[in-house]
Amino acid sequence: MTRHEEHGDTGGPVGRRRGALRIAGFALAGALVLAAATTTWAYWHLSDNITSVDINTALGDDRPARAMVTPSAAAAASPLPSGSLNILVLGSDSRSGKANKALGGGDSGGARSDTAMVVHIDGGRTKATVVSIPRDTLVTRPSCPLPSGGSTAVTHGAMFNSAYAVGGPVCAVKTVESLTHVRMDHYVEIDFAGFAKLVDALGGVDVTTDQDIDDDKSHLRLDAGDHHLDGTRALALARTRHGIGDGSDLGRIGLQQKLVKALLERMATMDLLTDPAGLYQVADAVTASLTTDTGLDSLNELMSLGRSLRGLTADRTRTVMMPVVTAPSDPNRVVAEEPAAGELWASLR
């Protein structure tokens, strides 16, 4: 042992190297602890963002049967789910919060289902059919349980979007299942602010409009042609109805379906798995304004669903509208056109 080492002197080359290694070790350990804490916080934050509703318990067994799926050998070997799914997706004009109010949600008096789509994902999860239900459709609204107890009365000739207004997500699901005789495996709802934030987190979307749009209600003016839209303008396009066609909800559905495909195409061009910051921004935008059933109310469950849909692209997604005709009782309303509507829903069971 040298005199320097005996007295604890690490000023020599060997001592300096050991000191540097210790400092590097402490720095690495600190970085790992910080990364773990950050990851844990991010996971907790994103999961805590999600609002959930226990639809299965509320509705019980009085529902259409679940689809019976026999898994293939390849599906059975996969760690990801691969069976068919039916998901009710609602865009709500929530009137709570400053962000929603600024985007056209109105006052704090409630919310309506502004957009309704049944998303059917085929077994194997590489193809999908998105069926839009016009909110002006007259339906028989079934009796729905209320969170406060009791239930709503059966109502004939009710506006489709009134189900959400009177009974929330539970009544929306029950009304869709009553109309379609198709079991909704999951429920997903996003409000005005959430949709706009998602589009912005993705860097905007590209859409092509077939005609000029000038809508004083949605405050959107676009010439026919190609456009790159930020979140606010994309939301305005989704809400536009008075500046196109006959001003009915049917014209707006066509624009909403364009946006669905535009979002799919945009996400396909982004490799979020190699961009943690971008992935977090998108995930935060989605979960912050999301309401789901209890089967999708954690980040793990949402990520598992997302990974199972990696093979789903815009060109494998078919967008249609439930066949409707003018309601005999009201020229401003529509009803399901039979047997075409029934045949469409039967194809999704």
Side-chain angles (χ1 to χ4, degrees):
M1 178 181 295
T2 67
R3 181 171 57 83
H4 292 294
E5 291 171 330
E6 182 180 6
H7 291 282
D9 186 352
T10 60
V14 173
R16 285 196 296 271
R17 283 197 297 272
R18 288 174 178 167
L21 287 173
R22 280 197 295 271
I23 292 171
F26 289 144
L28 177 60
L32 290 174
V33 169
L34 179 61
T38 301
T39 301
T40 300
W41 177 85
Y43 178 89
W44 174 86
H45 173 71
L46 293 174
S47 289
D48 192 57
N49 273 348
I50 304 167
T51 300
S52 66
V53 179
D54 191 353
I55 290 172
N56 287 336
T57 297
L59 294 184
D61 297 326
D62 185 21
R63 305 178 66 185
R66 293 185 185 277
M68 298 299 293
V69 178
T70 302
S72 64
S78 172
L80 295 173
S82 58
S84 63
L85 281 178
N86 289 301
I87 305 173
L88 175 60
V89 178
L90 293 188
S92 80
D93 64 343
S94 173
R95 301 171 187 189
S96 61
K98 291 182 179 178
N100 280 311
K101 188 172 183 179
L103 290 168
D107 58 28
S108 60
R112 297 165 297 179
S113 54
D114 195 61
T115 303
M117 298 178 177
V118 173
V119 180
H120 172 78
I121 302 167
D122 290 359
R125 305 200 177 179
T126 59
K127 294 181 180 179
T129 300
V130 179
V131 185
S132 296
I133 303 175
R135 69 177 190 174
D136 294 340
T137 303
L138 298 183
V139 300
T140 296
R141 192 179 67 224
S143 174
C144 300
L146 295 173
S148 58
S151 58
T152 64
V154 175
T155 304
H156 300 283
M159 284 262 291
F160 169 76
N161 70 341
S162 70
Y164 184 95
V166 302
V170 171
C171 197
V173 169
K174 188 166 185 179
T175 300
V176 169
E177 291 184 342
S178 175
L179 173 68
T180 66
H181 305 293
V182 176
R183 172 74 168 243
M184 296 297 109
D185 299 293
H186 291 299
Y187 170 83
V188 174
E189 174 192 333
I190 190 165
D191 64 20
F192 278 5
F195 179 81
K197 285 177 64 179
L198 170 60
V199 172
D200 284 336
L202 291 171
V205 292
D206 297 314
V207 298
T208 300
T209 55
D210 301 323
Q211 58 183 293
D212 296 343
I213 295 174
D214 187 355
D215 189 344
D216 290 335
K217 299 291 185 180
S218 66
H219 308 294
L220 182 68
R221 288 171 177 79
L222 291 177
D223 294 331
D226 299 333
H227 302 279
H228 184 78
L229 305 180
D230 63 7
T232 300
R233 297 179 84 204
L235 176 63
L237 184 66
R239 299 185 62 217
T240 290
R241 64 185 293 183
H242 299 286
I244 57 169
D246 61 0
S248 73
D249 195 44
L250 307 187
R252 173 166 56 181
I253 284 175
L255 296 176
Q256 292 171 348
Q257 291 175 341
K258 282 181 181 287
L259 279 169
V260 168
K261 291 209 168 188
L263 284 169
L264 287 173
E265 288 168 354
R266 178 59 181 157
M267 287 187 281
T269 64
M270 301 176 68
D271 190 359
L272 293 174
L273 294 179
T274 62
D275 180 11
L279 177 60
Y280 176 81
Q281 186 179 6
V282 171
D284 191 39
V286 171
T287 58
S289 302
L290 198 67
T291 299
T292 72
D293 65 284
T294 50
L296 289 178
D297 65 352
S298 77
L299 194 59
N300 275 346
E301 289 158 338
L302 286 174
M303 289 176 64
S304 177
L305 175 62
R307 287 195 298 267
S308 76
L309 300 177
R310 281 184 183 174
L312 181 61
T313 56
D315 60 338
R316 294 178 177 176
T317 302
R318 180 172 65 115
T319 55
V320 298
M321 184 179 71
M322 180 183 76
V324 294
V325 294
T326 302
S329 61
D330 187 340
N332 296 314
R333 302 288 179 259
V334 296
V335 294
E337 180 183 11
E338 299 298 353
E343 292 169 353
L344 172 61
W345 297 125
S347 72
L348 306 186
R349 293 183 197 129

